Amino acid sequence: MWSADTVMKAEYLDYRRITGQNELFLRYLYDFESVAQWYPGGPPELETLARRAEKLIRNGRKYPRHALSTSLERFNRRVGAGEAALENIQKLRDPSTVAVVTGQQVGLFGGPALAIHKALTAVSLTRRLRAVGIQAIPVFWLASDDSDYAEVASVRLLGEDGELLTLLHPPPADNGTRMVGSILLNDVSALLDELESKVVRGEFRHLVLDRLRNTYSRGRTFSEAFGAYMAALFQEQGLVLYDALTAGIKDQLTAAYETVIKKRKDIAERLQHRSQQLEQAKLNPQVQVSPEETLLFLFEGEHRYKLDFLGGRFKTRGEATREFSEDELLDLVRQDPEAVGPNVLLRPILQDLLFPTVAYVAGPAETAYFAQLSAIACYGDVEPMVFPRVGLTLIDAKTKRLFEKYHVGVEDIVNASPQDTVYRFAKDTEAGGLIRDFEALQATVEARVAEIEDQMISIDPGMAQLLRNSEAKMIYQVKKVRDRFVRNFALQSSQLARHVAFLHNSVYPEQTLQERLINFNHFLILEGPSLIGRILDAIQPFCKEHQILYVSTS
């Protein structure tokens, strides 16, 4: 870990030092040449993005700029987007304008903080492209046509003492195939009341709650509420919002859908071949692809159904099966382009047909599956470019104080269990002497067993092995007593236990990175609306490491 002078204090942690990271993502960051064959867009560098932008402007591709801008303006005005976003939408009509695109499911109250981090990365990249003379705008794609309600229905925050809070919006009666963006908010007032009563008592609590009440209001859909929230949060930065459900421009994609239907077998075979290539390189394909894959969903009203190819026909999954011949599905698409939608591998290709996309800002898993979709991008005559979003852990004032008190940092927490941290902290208390005595006892047992084993092995190898096995049991019992002693001490020393729980919940909740679980509003409550601008000034989008920002000035 190393630090640099930025507007906020910042530290940088190598992803390879964080447990559980996607191997393909790590290679993309730190050994790009080993995966370059699957990422034809090139490495995530400013020069690469600038060259790509110039190529997009010169290549003469006809994007549906007018229809797209009209659709974008309609939705963005409806959710209260500011003048900066509306101006960016008008810029999109200009053939010299390119887009940096990102997106996420429409999570309750903004979802986990990573959605905000994606938007921040997109805005940061557009600023840097503009600085080198390229007119770029940031676009956020609301994945409102997703049907995984569990992904959007709950939100996690921290309480006053660092306890993890979970707020859950009740599911609709027809949950399962219902597209989440179409679901109406119903008990949201009760959730906001619960939020108000349990969250940290930060200086900006009422301001943040007022914003949530204005954006997540009863009668709005998840899509509209999420859009209104993002529009309010990024008023000054001009983030343009694209809603997959209300865009109304699928007629621009009819030819692409026809290709996917006609070339279904070839596409499935290419994807399966790419999966084999990844496996041969000892990498796990992010998306499992079967021979029945079509890349398509069938849309009916507010529901979507996965389309498979079985027995020579396109068939939906579920109880109410619908099926089509190839010609019937082609007729449906031509007559009603809104009747189908893309899966996760097809969506970025369609995005690049709609927007002059310099890059898609992606999380680690998305970065990994771009290695698969590049195998089929030729069917859309596009070359998708992925750019890993900035990964952030935000450190508030209380966390900073505890770091200083116990002489630890983010890396110490993310690579340890709460029990490990209790043990580490307890060593600096009055129990430290006894804990060190346990360690000395373990070392003595190991040393004496090794000495005796050396003398015994030439005389009786079998008994030497028995002694070695007995050593493991003795060490296990010593550690068991030691760990129980430490746990009991922590329970008696309530402050130590609270501090450990707070640090793990704040920095690495449930053994995952903060941004994947904790809602961004927690930090807005503590730091206020200026936090967005301050983070933008501090983040380094071309830095490969996970970035740790000390957001509090106190």
Side-chain angles (χ1 to χ4, degrees), residues 432-467:
L434 273 172
I435 293 172
R436 285 185 284 276
D437 287 342
F438 275 111
E439 293 174 343
L441 175 59
Q442 178 179 335
T444 299
V445 170
E446 291 171 343
R448 291 294 295 143
V449 167
E451 290 175 7
I452 296 171
E453 182 184 18
D454 285 344
Q455 299 175 46
M456 186 183 295
I457 195 163
S458 60
I459 302 171
D460 192 337
M463 291 304 296
Q465 182 59 49
L466 180 61
L467 177 63

Side-chain angles (χ1 to χ4, degrees), residues 107-109 111 149-158 164-170 187-199 209 212 222 517 519 521 525:
L108 182 66
F109 303 150
Y149 184 71
E151 288 278 344
V152 305
S154 64
V155 65
R156 309 292 298 277
L157 295 100
L158 295 172
L164 281 174
L165 309 174
T166 301
L167 302 179
L168 179 65
H169 188 274
D187 291 341
V188 69
S189 295
L191 287 176
L192 285 165
D193 290 342
E194 184 180 359
L195 182 65
E196 183 172 12
S197 67
K198 293 181 177 179
V199 293
L209 285 164
L212 287 173
F222 263 77
L517 197 71
N519 180 262
N521 288 299
I525 288 170

